[in-house]
Amino acid sequence: MAARRLSRRPVAESPPYSLVGRTLAQLEPAEGTITLTTWRTSGAERHGLRPGQARHAVALCAAVLATAGLAACSSSSSSSTSAAAAASAGSQGSVVVADLAPFSGPDAALGPTYLVSCDGTTAAINNAGGVLGHKFTCKGVDTRGDPADAVPATTQMFATTPNLGLVIGCTSDEAASVVPIINGHKMVAFCMTGQSEFDSVHFPYFYRLVPPDLEESYAMVAIAQQLGYHKIALAFGNDIGSQTFIQPAVSAISKAGMTLAANETLDLNASSFRTEADKIVTAHPDVIFTEALGPTDATFLSEVKQLNGGKMIPVIGTSADISPDWYKSVAAAVGASTLATSFHADNLVTETSGPAYAPFQTAIMSEQGKVGSTGDFSTYLTAPGAVHLYDGINLAALAMVEAKSTEPSVYAPYIEKIGDGTPGAVVVYSFAQGLAALKAGKAIRYEGPGGPTSFDSFHDSTGIFQIDAYNTTGAVQVTGNITATQLRALS
């Protein structure tokens, strides 16, 4: 749901990007492209595509790929199929889970965040005996948060990764460009993209457990309503993922009878945002909606506080702001006590106790000190990437067990069956429980910390929202909920 873009080098097109052109023109790694490959042995969020244009571009790209039989997409599915088949053939190989996400640039915190979830989840799977005799490993693949880098990185991932069994991550920075490629390789992907075009374009191997960005925009407006705010300022990063929030937010603000006081775009490569901060302070908003990762929000909000006479204007963020890295940088810039009293964010409701939470907590906290933030590591227990990718990996692993294959084209149909359940299915709350039930010949329904799934025809399964805040130590506190009725009223 949080995902973003960084322009590392000149690109041929200006936004909106031609997704077909990107896919066709950049199937091979460009000179100078660096792909971060981070192998881990288990145990040890998006600039300028408007929703309509993006939907059209993705649909067109999918159509071109399907009809043209491109070597890097449809025809090259044999390479990934062969790799998966090799993993199914014997017990000697590991099944690789690729974390396809930004590891460099302003959105660089996303990749390691997802690896925390991947490493913890696969360690738990391996400790339970693995899948069909195979152990799981995680591999990081750097997209740099830019479609121009993501396409060759994805192509190289397929060419150089034997036994690839699952892709996770694929944020809104790059999802529109890489999902058609992943789908052409018949590879299952659980993506952290909120782009609304995936609401209505069907990719058979694409799965999503996070809501579209427009629903997050509605949730931010609903929070503002609950808190009694009327004048709203927007300050979003110029990356793809952050920009997708703006138009739905503007529409919902109008529908709610509120006033849009200011709308500023923050260049993630800039070192100061004094001009933008001054415009917002001068507009006298009641609250600022924001998502701008890396050091951007920290610098921007610090300047807002300075220009506002040392007083912080209240802030409502997206779920991407629920992360140790975001908290650490912003709290250092504006003060922990200030942040605790002035900040709220939307987030999907996740379980914080009970039978699904206990194994999740153990899996995530086992990675403390190994990968990810040096801040309050427990923040990952409510971070969307950690929660929903944990569930996605478990769903895929249990589907492999029931399908008796690690080949995505074979196990993919079992994901919905295990997630949504069938009549008489036994509810299980971890991979270990699910594995034991399947070995006993029982039908299962998996329910993880993200709650029960209910997949639609586009493989979307999203829950309801809660309102999060930080305390002065950086721990996340749930302060309220947002109902489906509230969201519908703003749509």
Side-chain angles (χ1 to χ4, degrees):
M1 32 195 293
R4 1 266 163 226
R5 172 180 181 270
L6 168 67
S7 293
R8 280 275 180 161
R9 47 190 162 83
V11 293
E13 307 94 349
S14 298
Y17 300 100
S18 167
L19 303 188
V20 177
R22 286 274 185 239
T23 306
L24 298 181
Q26 300 191 25
L27 293 175
E28 295 299 326
E31 183 178 354
T33 295
I34 300 173
T35 300
L36 172 70
T37 302
T38 306
W39 289 89
R40 304 197 183 280
T41 301
S42 299
E45 73 157 183
R46 305 173 194 166
H47 193 343
L49 281 177
R50 294 189 294 273
Q53 293 171 317
R55 182 178 297 114
H56 173 74
V58 173
L60 180 58
C61 184
V64 169
L65 293 171
T67 58
L70 295 174
C73 297
S74 299
S75 296
S76 287
S77 63
S78 59
S79 63
S80 61
T81 300
S82 298
S88 298
S91 62
Q92 68 276 16
S94 296
V95 175
V96 179
V97 181
D99 177 9
L100 184 68
F103 283 85
S104 58
D107 298 335
L110 295 176
T113 296
Y114 301 164
L115 272 182
V116 168
S117 185
C118 188
D119 285 353
T121 310
T122 56
I125 290 170
N126 292 340
N127 289 340
V131 173
L132 304 175
H134 307 292
K135 297 295 185 180
F136 274 31
T137 60
C138 297
K139 173 182 180 178
V141 181
D142 190 10
T143 67
R144 296 180 177 175
D146 189 336
D149 294 304
V151 168
T154 302
T155 303
Q156 186 177 357
M157 174 187 72
F158 280 108
T160 61
T161 311
N163 300 344
L164 180 62
L166 176 65
V167 173
I168 62 169
C170 35
T171 70
S172 295
D173 281 343
E174 64 277 324
S177 297
V178 304
V179 166
I181 299 174
I182 296 169
N183 194 74
H185 280 273
K186 298 182 178 179
M187 177 59 59
V188 170
F190 278 88
C191 291
M192 293 297 295
T193 174
Q195 290 174 291
S196 298
E197 58 264 34
F198 292 107
D199 301 351
S200 56
V201 179
H202 179 65
F203 291 99
Y205 296 93
F206 171 88
Y207 293 84
R208 181 169 64 172
L209 301 176
V210 293
D213 291 337
L214 60 84
E215 288 192 10
E216 276 212 72
S217 296
Y218 302 156
M220 296 171 84
V221 175
I223 294 172
Q225 286 181 313
Q226 287 194 26
L227 296 175
Y229 299 135
H230 301 285
K231 292 181 65 178
I232 315 297
L234 306 183
F236 286 87
N238 65 345
D239 52 299
I240 294 172
S242 299
Q243 286 287 300
T244 60
F245 290 105
I246 295 175
Q247 193 53 51
V250 170
S251 175
I253 288 167
S254 176
K255 193 161 188 178
M258 298 174 172
T259 300
L260 179 62
N263 184 359
E264 296 297 320
T265 296
L266 308 179
D267 183 351
L268 300 187
N269 290 313
S271 59
S272 175
F273 307 94
R274 198 166 186 84
T275 299
E276 294 85 354
D278 185 59
K279 289 180 180 179
I280 286 178
V281 170
T282 301
H284 301 294
D286 298 328
V287 65
I288 300 170
F289 290 1
T290 189
E291 179 188 280
L293 297 193
T296 300
D297 259 340
T299 303
F300 165 70
L301 294 175
S302 175
E303 291 172 339
V304 166
K305 183 180 178 181
Q306 292 170 13
L307 292 169
N308 197 44
K311 183 179 179 181
M312 193 65 220
I313 297 173
V315 174
I316 296 176
T318 70
S319 58
D321 297 338
I322 303 300
S323 92
D325 293 293
W326 190 92
Y327 174 82
K328 185 178 180 181
S329 63
V330 176
V334 304
S337 59
T338 296
L339 191 58
T341 57
S342 63
F343 175 80
H344 294 84
D346 69 81
N347 199 2
L348 281 181
V349 171
T350 60
E351 297 180 16
T352 56
S353 63
Y357 179 75
F360 167 68
Q361 181 184 38
T362 299
I364 296 301
M365 296 308 292
S366 71
E367 297 305 308
Q368 187 169 11
K370 300 175 185 178
V371 64
S373 173
T374 56
D376 186 346
F377 200 84
S378 67
T379 305
Y380 286 127
L381 298 174
T382 51
V387 174
H388 301 297
L389 292 179
Y390 170 89
D391 283 344
I393 296 169
N394 279 333
L395 281 168
L398 289 170
M400 293 176 189
V401 174
E402 183 156 2
K404 297 179 176 60
S405 174
T406 59
E407 185 172 345
S409 62
V410 176
Y411 79 74
Y414 292 86
I415 291 174
E416 291 178 78
K417 178 182 177 183
I418 288 174
D420 294 352
T422 56
V426 175
V427 178
V428 298
Y429 300 100
S430 67
F431 173 80
Q433 279 190 345
L435 178 64
L438 288 173
K439 285 183 175 180
K442 299 177 181 178
I444 64 171
R445 173 170 184 166
Y446 170 80
E447 182 177 325
T453 64
S454 180
F455 287 105
D456 63 18
S457 60
F458 302 102
H459 294 168
D460 285 338
S461 176
T462 61
I464 58 175
F465 288 96
Q466 65 187 31
I467 305 171
D468 285 354
Y470 290 109
N471 66 16
T472 54
T473 67
V476 177
Q477 298 179 317
V478 179
T479 64
N481 290 293
I482 302 168
T483 67
T485 300
Q486 288 176 292
L487 294 182
R488 282 195 297 269
L490 296 168
S491 64

